[in-house]
Amino acid sequence: MVLTAPPVKARGLVKRYKDLLAVDQIDLNVNAGEVYGFLGPNGAGKTTTLRMLLGLIMPTAGRVELFGRDPIREGARALDGVAGFVEAPRFYPYLSGRKNLQMMAALDGGGRSERVDEVLALVDLTDAAEKRAGAYSHGMGQRLGIAAALLRGPELLILDEPATGLDPAGIRDMRVLIRRLAREGITVLLSSHQLAEVQEICDRVAIVRSGKVVYEGPLADLRGASGQSYRLHTSDDLHAADIARAATGIHRLVVAGPELRFQASEADAGALSLALGHAGVAIYTMAPTLASLEDLFFELTEGTATGNRQPAVDVTSTPKATQ
Ligand SMILES: Nc1ncnc2c1ncn2[C@@H]1O[C@H](COP(=O)(O)OP(=O)(O)OP(=O)(O)O)[C@@H](O)[C@H]1O
Ligand SMILES: [Mg+2]
């Protein structure tokens, strides 16, 4: 076994259900110590991918390695140091949170029961430890799921939508918890369909849509890669729009009320300003604006273009409706 093998390496993962390609050639690389976000809308293939990573279902094609070991070929041995949950953690509802963890620790063997108090404290459930798990709030249930995973002393935690369904305070608590685990050196791979839930904690993300990765990298680069957004107001916006359409490097042109919006590099925006001047169109304002990450995420996941690994504006050429 290679000691430096990354926590997660997946190549060409495919899962087909009859005619449906739930996962279509996904590559993933999660490095040690990262919090990695696996983002995409409902039905994008997140849970299916995580199931394949955990060896819970067979890939139709492709390979998975966790710390260099293949969970399909090597079974439970490959999951040494790996824990987490897919869809939702399950517990005996009539037993307390503590009792549930004690039972899991006993099943897992290896004298893990002394860790029960420690993990309960880590996820902030000490005060609710004697309460029936069935009476836990959704957020408490999610945290109990993480506690159960932590019992195994994982180096890699795989969490499917840990923050989904939580209220803002619950989401904040979940972020704090995940950051704390990351500080302790645990690599975290978590999925979410809401960028806002996870954007502050993820070092890198993969954004999936219809089973394909449409972006992989740091979120900061996603913003940078789509070019700068501009607002443009001229003496003749309709004429300006025609010129912009004919210009090179002008993307996502939208006529929005009394102004135009587009994305372009600085050089292409400069060239457009010259073209407008030549055509006798006066520029009243050409102001750079910052595209919101949420907008970019929405366009990547809801746009009409087909999957594209390049985090470029051309991933979607769908103009937004004019307000
Ligand atoms: N066992 C199965 N049999 C048939 N189709 C399945 C099965 N599991 C998943 N699918 C389909 O595969 C696609 C991806 O599902 P998956 O659960 O991976 O999406 P997801 O990204 O986790 O979505 P969500 O955000 O709703 O949890 C969906 O179209 C789903 O209906
Ligand atoms: Mg899912």
Side-chain angles (χ1 to χ4, degrees):
M1 194 186 88
V2 193
L3 281 174
T4 52
V8 179
K9 179 172 154 189
R11 288 291 174 272
L13 270 189
V14 174
K15 185 68 188 181
R16 179 187 285 281
Y17 292 111
K18 297 202 175 116
D19 290 341
L20 177 79
L21 262 178
V23 172
D24 185 6
Q25 294 288 347
I26 281 187
D27 294 342
L28 280 182
N29 299 289
V30 181
N31 301 319
E34 272 187 328
V35 176
Y36 190 96
F38 195 47
L39 308 180
N42 293 140
K46 303 180 296 294
T47 300
T48 306
T49 303
L50 298 187
R51 282 204 168 103
M52 289 191 277
L53 294 185
L54 287 166
L56 297 171
I57 55 172
M58 286 282 285
T60 307
R63 277 192 63 113
V64 173
E65 282 181 9
L66 305 178
F67 298 106
R69 295 168 310 221
D70 181 337
I72 299 295
R73 286 190 203 137
E74 299 179 44
R77 214 153 46 90
L79 296 175
D80 230 17
V82 181
F85 57 79
V86 169
E87 293 241 276
R90 299 258 154 78
F91 300 101
Y92 292 106
Y94 48 87
L95 296 180
S96 70
R98 183 194 303 281
K99 191 77 198 158
N100 267 286
L101 293 184
Q102 283 169 343
M103 283 185 48
M104 282 177 202
L107 279 174
D108 241 0
R112 288 186 164 127
S113 53
E114 70 271 19
R115 276 184 52 83
V116 168
D117 283 330
E118 189 187 327
V119 297
L120 279 168
L122 251 176
V123 302
D124 211 13
L125 279 179
T126 306
D127 291 345
E130 312 314 329
K131 201 174 164 130
R132 284 190 315 117
Y136 276 8
S137 72
H138 179 62
M140 291 158 87
Q142 297 292 89
R143 282 182 291 156
L144 187 61
I146 294 181
L150 291 175
L151 271 181
R152 313 189 65 209
E155 289 169 66
L156 168 66
L157 254 187
I158 296 183
L159 304 175
D160 192 18
E161 309 248 6
T164 294
L166 305 188
D167 63 13
I171 292 173
R172 188 196 54 215
D173 292 348
M174 184 61 71
R175 275 198 209 117
V176 170
L177 172 60
I178 288 170
R179 265 201 220 111
R180 190 192 306 162
L181 299 175
R183 266 202 309 275
E184 290 180 10
I186 299 176
T187 304
V188 183
L189 167 55
L190 62 107
S191 74
S192 176
H193 64 273
Q194 289 260 309
L195 175 69
E197 278 173 7
V198 298
Q199 73 180 77
E200 286 165 39
I201 54 170
C202 293
D203 300 304
R204 287 194 306 134
V205 299
I207 298 178
V208 281
R209 184 175 99 202
S210 308
K212 284 192 163 74
V213 174
V214 290
Y215 175 79
E216 188 189 34
L219 279 171
D221 289 2
L222 175 62
R223 201 183 252 143
S226 63
Q228 178 69 62
S229 299
Y230 289 89
R231 289 171 37 226
L232 174 67
H233 181 39
T234 66
S235 56
D236 185 347
D237 281 350
L238 289 180
H239 191 186
D242 287 339
I243 293 168
R245 261 182 221 111
T248 49
I250 305 294
H251 304 284
R252 294 190 191 161
L253 180 71
V254 183
V255 181
E259 62 180 26
L260 306 179
R261 291 187 203 145
F262 63 89
Q263 292 200 344
S265 68
E266 205 170 40
D268 288 330
L272 175 63
S273 74
L274 290 177
L276 291 170
H278 281 307
V281 178
I283 297 174
Y284 296 153
T285 332
M286 174 128 81
T289 60
L290 207 59
S292 95
L293 211 47
E294 199 66 48
D295 281 351
L296 294 172
F297 179 66
F298 185 75
E299 285 171 12
L300 277 173
T301 55
E302 303 285 321
T304 52
T306 50
N308 181 336
R309 269 156 215 275
Q310 296 305 311
V313 290
D314 302 330
V315 167
T316 165
S317 54
T318 320
K320 279 191 192 146
T322 317
Q323 297 93 332

